[in-house]
């Protein structure tokens, strides 16, 4: 998703004792009309040469496991995601619950989403999909972090048509979305596109512990 930086510029050519016209280079000739100077040096436009340091495959910083983020549903009004104490993931407009998150990459391309209290204090808990076992929809609740638990392994993909910080979040075919009736739920959408996307706002380095 990252685009390599491109360095614009045109290399300059300087011949000893003479200025080179911008429109081209004319070799010097002797009295008989033959060339006497060195062959002209081509002027190379480097605008289309990618930087050698570009890393198109590198994950965005928000998904590197080294940054903490807040998460806001695209289209939400003055509210952000919070993992409520002994409760579920919800949208709040105050400072309740755990609102500092560190998406931590796993070797499979999935993520643990660690949740901290404000400022990244204390040991984290992790997002976990919870099934009530009845007709109620799946939700995300807090749990002790276990990288081997499939219910805690989330996929975070770029949102189609979204900005560089906008993602959709899923777990085993169920996508995180807003429901007018039930709040934030995990729902299998089949062939339909995910209904909600989320903006990850970088707030600084990830906590060193946890």
């Amino acid at each position: 998703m990252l685009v390599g930086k491109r360095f614009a510029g045109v290399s300059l050519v300087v011949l000893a004792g003479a200025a080179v016209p911008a429109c081209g280079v004319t070799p010097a000739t002797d009295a008989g009309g033959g060339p006497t100077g060195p062959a002209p040096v081509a002027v190379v436009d480097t605008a289309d040469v990618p930087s050698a340091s570009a890393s198109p495959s590198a994950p965005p910083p928000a998904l590197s496991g080294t940054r903490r983020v807040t998460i806001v549903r695209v289209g939400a009004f003055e509210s952000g995601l919070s993992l409520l104490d002994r409760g579920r993931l919800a949208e709040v407009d105050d400072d309740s619950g755990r609102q500092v998150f560190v998406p931590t990459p796993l070797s499979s391309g999935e993520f643990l989403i660690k949740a901290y209290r404000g400022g990244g204090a204390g040991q984290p808990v992790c997002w976990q999909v919870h099934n009530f076992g009845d007709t109620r929809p799946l939700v995300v609740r807090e749990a002790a972090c276990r990288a081997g638990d499939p219910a805690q392994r989330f996929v975070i993909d770029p949102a189609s048509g979204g900005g560089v910080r906008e993602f959709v979040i899923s777990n085993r075919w169920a996508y995180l979305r807003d429901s007018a009736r039930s709040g934030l739920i995990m729902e299998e959408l089949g062939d339909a596109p995910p209904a909600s996307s989320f903006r990850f706002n970088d707030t600084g380095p990830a906590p060193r512990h946890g």
Side-chain angles (χ1 to χ4, degrees):
M1 298 190 298
L2 297 180
V3 179
K5 294 183 180 178
R6 302 162 73 88
F7 293 88
V10 176
S11 59
L12 303 180
V13 179
V14 179
L15 298 181
V20 181
C23 59
V25 178
T26 303
T29 58
D30 60 16
T36 61
V41 180
V43 176
V44 179
D45 187 344
T46 60
D48 292 326
V49 179
S51 167
S53 62
S55 302
S57 60
L63 302 184
S64 67
T66 64
R67 309 295 295 177
R68 65 177 187 261
V69 300
T70 59
I71 302 178
V72 178
R73 178 172 56 85
V74 175
F77 180 71
E78 295 184 355
S79 60
L81 270 59
S82 176
L83 195 56
L84 301 177
D85 294 340
R86 296 178 300 279
R88 55 182 282 189
L89 187 69
E91 292 181 296
V92 300
D93 56 7
D94 55 25
D95 61 356
S96 59
R98 298 171 184 259
Q99 301 182 29
V100 175
F101 304 110
V102 178
T104 303
L106 303 171
S107 58
S108 61
E110 299 167 310
F111 295 82
L112 285 180
I113 304 181
K114 298 179 180 179
Y116 295 82
R117 299 193 182 280
Q123 292 296 317
V125 296
C126 280
W127 291 21
Q128 179 171 302
V129 176
H130 178 74
N131 187 343
F132 290 102
D134 52 28
T135 58
R136 286 176 290 179
L138 303 175
V139 298
V140 174
R141 300 181 69 95
E142 72 166 61
C145 295
R146 296 184 299 271
D149 189 339
Q152 293 188 17
R153 301 170 73 95
F154 289 83
V155 174
I156 304 174
D157 287 322
S160 178
V164 296
R165 295 184 291 115
E166 294 179 13
F167 302 92
V168 293
I169 303 171
S170 62
N171 175 278
R172 294 175 296 177
W173 307 287
Y175 283 83
L176 182 64
R177 65 179 295 267
D178 174 61
S179 164
R181 180 176 181 178
S182 303
L184 292 175
I185 62 173
M186 300 291 298
E187 183 176 64
E188 295 186 18
L189 302 178
D191 295 330
S196 297
S197 58
F198 299 86
R199 182 176 296 110
F200 286 31
N201 301 308
D202 191 310
T203 60
R208 294 184 180 180
H209 50 78

